[in-house]
Amino acid sequence: MTAEVVIVGIGQVPVGEHWELSLRTLAARAIQAARKDAGGLKPQALYVGNLLAPTALHQSNLGALLTGNSGLEGIEAFTVEAADASGAGALRLAYMAVASGYVDVAMAVGVEKSTEVPDAELEATAAEITDYDFEATNGLTPTAQAALLMQRYLHEYQAPPDALAEFPLLAHANAVNNPNAMFRRQFDLKAYQKAMVISAPLNLLDKAPYADGAAAVILTRPDLAAKDLPQPLVRVVASSAAIDALALHDRTDPLDFKAVTHSAAQALHQAGLALEEIDLFELHDSFSIYAALSLEACGFAPRGEGCQLAQSGALRLDGKLPINTMGGLKARGHPLGATGLYQAVEAVMQLRGQGGANQVREARRAMIQSLGGPASTVITHILERV
Amino acid sequence: MTAEVVIVGIGQVPVGEHWELSLRTLAARAIQAARKDAGGLKPQALYVGNLLAPTALHQSNLGALLTGNSGLEGIEAFTVEAADASGAGALRLAYMAVASGYVDVAMAVGVEKSTEVPDAELEATAAEITDYDFEATNGLTPTAQAALLMQRYLHEYQAPPDALAEFPLLAHANAVNNPNAMFRRQFDLKAYQKAMVISAPLNLLDKAPYADGAAAVILTRPDLAAKDLPQPLVRVVASSAAIDALALHDRTDPLDFKAVTHSAAQALHQAGLALEEIDLFELHDSFSIYAALSLEACGFAPRGEGCQLAQSGALRLDGKLPINTMGGLKARGHPLGATGLYQAVEAVMQLRGQGGANQVREARRAMIQSLGGPASTVITHILERV
């Protein structure tokens, strides 16, 4: 019933603290890079993933702002918001618009400028993604949510305090070769063990840094893609979204990321694929514990064994299921509403064979998954090299 | 190529100052009312129109919040934001989801709780819909934008200061019979002439009041609608969106609402209709001047003659083109991100013959149009009685 959808353009700016660049400039650079990558193709619709602009910059209606600043005047545009899965939401909307035949060429751009918020206020500001009336007002911020889940996890599975160390270690190792990553340096287990605890038992290296950034992808139908594109096409073979209760206290089993399970299963079903056929997985490691819980909820590891999977080496670039091949949220950086589109850009690079020193061998199918909060919203896409 | 889409359920709560009700409660009531109206039908996706929750309530990710609070756990959900056209954006997304075949039953809900912001700060908060870095930081709020356009309009067409009076007069007259309206009282020309000027030449009666409210519609395909629904079906025959420059200073002719022209023309083209075939028009009178400019940009009146059209009586309930039949934004009230869905609910009521004392005779086709800011974003739908 639906048309085939391919990604023909990708663009990104380095993730970091862009004191000198405005939100509109960051977005325009990613948009221009994606258009250039797609041979100049102009989208008819722009869907914007963003979380903090209304609170941090007093700026809403980014659709009108960004089209006007990127040479896309007049086209349909609006913002999609789903906490830190906003970028993936914009990608899903662009996919639906093309697959349905409404739009021939759609662009999804994710953009975030979190450095506009003073560091001391950033965690409180980001707490808008919790159930504010019941969680944040009682002091439960996103980091505190993750700490509670980590504490429960370590207790439930009698795991040592450094059980999750391999996730940030791996992310930082992969980021070394990514020129767009925020932290391009490795660290060792000893550094993890000595890292400052920021919300017990969670330490500084368990948390992805909020950051500035922008990334964009262009989607169209294969019959509309120019025949002379320099890059191979990447097909979007699945797109799915699921929701869990926003507040942790409304869940019966907080260590069960139910929406991850549903969203991943739906995506695999849509693509007609088994888990074993996924060659790499860009997962949402906003906190180390979320990486473990996501792997388990998808079915890549039995419950309680996500850490062992990481420790086995299976998730490294030369392992059975490479994850976060360009550094993930932890080391590439986590520009909240833009993150889902960085994941998409990085997966496309792998499937095109543009992974450089981090190229995953014979990468044919990539799963990318964004979480809004503690898997309150989960959006999963599967991409395949044509 | 696309499936037919019908509206089978509508729900609303009275617009006003709901000091005792939370955002989640307002939304849940509208959602429940719409589901009841649709014979209990459960949507598979919920698209939320909202503007102020992140800034006014510190609350993002309304998709997860509202599904959990409305008995819709687990279904796809996220927020669409396009300034005060957010509700219409959610409706457009729900339409696309059903028309494309991705979703059998979709719901769009608009919800706003602007009374959480102290009155003294509300206009400054709403200024996030301008180009904040260049407009709001220099003192240009939404009301000041409208005042500039009104001043230019009165000057350009040598119109008297009360040229626009008929728009709020008509809106208030229609709201008397709408139990969900915020202001159910009429006023006369003298009252308009004496009204307090709030941003010269714009007076208090030229501006729709920010308010609290929630409204929802349920969309599905006709073959999936229960055969025994108590209400006639209403078909969505067109949906379109267009963008203009966000900042007024980036437009060559500020009195030309170009995105209104494009969006309306696209919608008429999609529906295969001429302007004359529209029986009623729910337009976006956030300011009187925007009502005049919208009528002109759509082509219902020549440029500079929107006021005369109003003064001729043609826009009253018994006129040639009734507008804002339940009071419009001015008198029903303007709950920002929810407004587009109030327009949809009211148009459906008219097409079903549920207009009560305000029923438009032989209402078969309704156009509804939402503006984000000064027509920076414009979203137009055309509904038709089956």
Side-chain angles (χ1 to χ4, degrees):
Chain A
M1 161 173 233
T2 57
E4 223 180 295
V5 179
V6 289
I7 295 179
V8 293
I10 55 174
Q12 63 180 320
V13 300
V15 176
E17 300 187 341
H18 290 291
W19 304 104
E20 76 293 359
L21 298 177
S22 65
L23 179 120
R24 69 188 81 195
T25 303
L26 288 170
R29 289 192 184 178
I31 289 170
Q32 279 152 17
R35 286 191 64 188
K36 189 174 170 205
D37 185 60
L41 204 59
K42 185 179 171 182
Q44 294 138 11
L46 178 74
Y47 303 113
V48 182
N50 172 267
L51 175 62
L52 290 182
T55 33
L57 307 174
H58 308 284
Q59 186 65 66
S60 297
N61 209 3
L62 298 186
L65 181 74
L66 300 184
T67 45
N69 271 272
S70 304
L72 300 173
E73 289 81 2
I75 69 169
E76 164 165 3
F78 43 82
T79 304
V80 176
E81 189 270 309
D84 43 340
S86 298
L91 177 60
R92 173 152 172 75
L93 185 42
Y95 168 78
M96 279 174 51
V98 174
S100 68
Y102 273 96
V103 167
D104 290 336
V105 183
M107 179 182 272
V109 63
V111 60
E112 202 69 72
K113 188 114 175 66
S114 57
T115 54
E116 295 286 327
V117 184
D119 277 356
E121 292 171 25
L122 192 50
E123 182 71 12
T125 302
E128 68 180 47
I129 70 173
T130 71
D131 185 334
Y132 198 85
D133 291 350
F134 294 90
E135 295 188 317
T137 53
N138 290 302
L140 198 66
T141 69
T143 304
Q145 285 182 321
L148 282 182
L149 293 180
M150 181 171 166
Q151 187 166 11
R152 183 80 202 162
Y153 187 91
L154 298 182
H155 168 78
E156 194 81 42
Y157 304 117
Q158 302 184 13
D162 59 4
L164 294 158
E166 178 63 18
F167 291 107
L169 278 167
L170 176 152
H172 276 255
N174 288 350
V176 168
N177 296 313
N178 177 6
N180 292 299
M182 188 166 179
F183 293 130
R184 301 181 62 186
R185 56 172 186 266
Q186 284 191 268
F187 61 82
D188 59 15
L189 183 61
K190 204 165 279 176
Y192 179 88
Q193 287 162 338
K194 291 197 303 189
M196 180 177 68
V197 170
I198 54 175
S199 183
L202 188 148
N203 74 40
L204 193 61
L205 296 175
D206 284 315
K207 177 179 165 53
Y210 301 138
D212 302 335
V217 304
I218 300 181
L219 297 89
T220 188
R221 301 199 303 273
D223 54 302
L224 297 172
K227 298 285 163 271
D228 55 350
L229 282 176
Q231 300 301 338
L233 300 180
V234 169
R235 193 184 289 130
V236 184
V237 292
S239 172
S240 87
I243 293 279
D244 201 346
L246 184 60
L248 286 181
H249 58 250
D250 285 336
R251 304 185 189 178
T252 47
D253 180 357
L255 293 185
D256 181 10
F257 272 7
K258 277 195 301 183
V260 167
T261 306
H262 293 160
S263 174
Q266 269 176 37
L268 289 165
H269 178 77
Q270 187 190 348
L273 293 172
L275 264 187
E276 297 70 34
E277 295 177 275
I278 300 298
D279 299 319
L280 65 110
F281 182 24
E282 294 296 334
L283 62 75
H284 192 97
D285 59 330
S286 51
F287 300 98
S288 310
I289 179 66
Y290 292 0
L293 293 177
S294 292
L295 286 164
E296 296 172 16
C298 284
F300 289 112
R303 284 195 65 175
E305 297 182 22
C307 298
Q308 285 93 313
L309 184 66
Q311 285 152 7
S312 76
L315 306 178
R316 294 185 196 151
L317 290 173
D318 58 355
K320 204 174 132 234
L321 180 75
I323 66 166
N324 297 359
T325 61
M326 297 294 171
L329 282 59
K330 175 64 195 81
R332 174 239 297 130
H334 183 24
L336 299 158
T339 289
L341 286 158
Y342 276 96
Q343 293 178 310
V345 165
E346 290 160 358
V348 168
M349 288 176 68
Q350 287 288 0
L351 299 176
R352 284 178 175 180
Q354 296 174 325
N358 286 8
Q359 180 63 46
V360 172
R361 283 190 58 189
E362 295 176 33
R364 174 139 186 246
R365 298 187 187 99
M367 182 184 276
I368 56 182
Q369 187 172 72
S370 269
L371 313 186
S376 304
T377 305
V378 180
I379 301 178
T380 308
H381 288 89
I382 300 176
L383 310 183
E384 187 174 77
R385 190 181 63 205
V386 173
Chain B
M1 164 173 233
T2 58
E4 223 180 297
V5 179
V6 290
I7 295 178
V8 293
I10 55 174
Q12 62 179 320
V13 299
V15 177
E17 300 186 341
H18 290 291
W19 304 105
E20 76 292 359
L21 298 177
S22 65
L23 179 121
R24 69 188 83 196
T25 303
L26 288 169
R29 288 190 184 179
I31 288 169
Q32 279 151 18
R35 287 191 63 188
K36 189 174 169 204
D37 186 61
L41 204 60
K42 185 179 172 182
Q44 295 139 9
L46 178 74
Y47 303 114
V48 183
N50 172 266
L51 176 62
L52 291 182
T55 31
L57 307 174
H58 308 285
Q59 186 65 66
S60 296
N61 210 0
L62 297 186
L65 181 74
L66 300 184
T67 45
N69 270 271
S70 303
L72 299 173
E73 288 82 2
I75 70 169
E76 164 165 2
F78 44 81
T79 304
V80 176
E81 188 270 310
D84 42 340
S86 298
L91 177 60
R92 172 153 172 74
L93 185 43
Y95 168 78
M96 278 174 52
V98 174
S100 67
Y102 273 95
V103 167
D104 289 336
V105 183
M107 179 181 272
V109 63
V111 60
E112 203 69 70
K113 189 114 175 64
S114 56
T115 55
E116 296 286 328
V117 183
D119 277 355
E121 293 171 25
L122 192 49
E123 182 71 12
T125 302
E128 68 181 47
I129 70 172
T130 71
D131 185 333
Y132 197 85
D133 291 350
F134 293 91
E135 297 188 316
T137 53
N138 290 303
L140 197 66
T141 69
T143 305
Q145 286 183 320
L148 282 182
L149 293 180
M150 182 171 166
Q151 187 166 10
R152 182 81 201 162
Y153 187 91
L154 298 182
H155 169 78
E156 195 81 42
Y157 304 118
Q158 302 184 13
D162 59 5
L164 295 157
E166 179 63 17
F167 291 107
L169 279 166
L170 176 152
H172 276 255
N174 288 350
V176 168
N177 296 312
N178 176 7
N180 293 300
M182 187 168 181
F183 294 131
R184 301 181 60 188
R185 55 172 188 269
Q186 285 191 265
F187 61 82
D188 58 15
L189 183 61
K190 204 165 281 175
Y192 179 88
Q193 288 162 339
K194 289 197 303 191
M196 181 178 69
V197 170
I198 55 174
S199 184
L202 187 149
N203 75 39
L204 193 60
L205 296 174
D206 285 315
K207 177 181 165 52
Y210 301 139
D212 302 336
V217 304
I218 299 181
L219 298 88
T220 187
R221 300 199 304 273
D223 54 300
L224 297 172
K227 297 285 165 270
D228 55 350
L229 281 176
Q231 301 301 338
L233 300 180
V234 169
R235 193 183 290 130
V236 184
V237 292
S239 172
S240 86
I243 293 279
D244 201 346
L246 184 60
L248 286 182
H249 57 250
D250 285 334
R251 303 184 189 179
T252 46
D253 180 356
L255 294 185
D256 181 10
F257 273 6
K258 277 194 303 184
V260 167
T261 307
H262 293 159
S263 174
Q266 269 178 36
L268 289 165
H269 177 76
Q270 187 189 349
L273 292 172
L275 263 188
E276 299 69 35
E277 295 176 276
I278 300 299
D279 298 321
L280 64 109
F281 182 24
E282 294 296 333
L283 62 76
H284 191 96
D285 59 328
S286 50
F287 300 98
S288 311
I289 180 66
Y290 292 180
L293 293 177
S294 292
L295 286 164
E296 295 172 17
C298 283
F300 288 113
R303 284 194 64 174
E305 296 181 24
C307 298
Q308 287 92 313
L309 184 67
Q311 285 153 8
S312 75
L315 306 178
R316 294 185 195 151
L317 290 172
D318 58 356
K320 205 174 131 232
L321 180 75
I323 65 165
N324 297 1
T325 62
M326 297 296 172
L329 281 59
K330 175 65 196 79
R332 175 241 294 130
H334 184 23
L336 298 160
T339 289
L341 287 157
Y342 276 97
Q343 292 178 311
V345 165
E346 290 160 358
V348 168
M349 289 176 68
Q350 286 288 0
L351 299 175
R352 284 178 175 182
Q354 296 174 326
N358 285 9
Q359 180 63 46
V360 172
R361 286 190 56 191
E362 297 177 31
R364 179 143 182 245
R365 298 188 187 100
M367 182 184 275
I368 56 181
Q369 188 172 72
S370 269
L371 313 186
S376 305
T377 304
V378 180
I379 301 177
T380 308
H381 288 88
I382 301 175
L383 310 182
E384 186 175 75
R385 191 182 63 208
V386 174

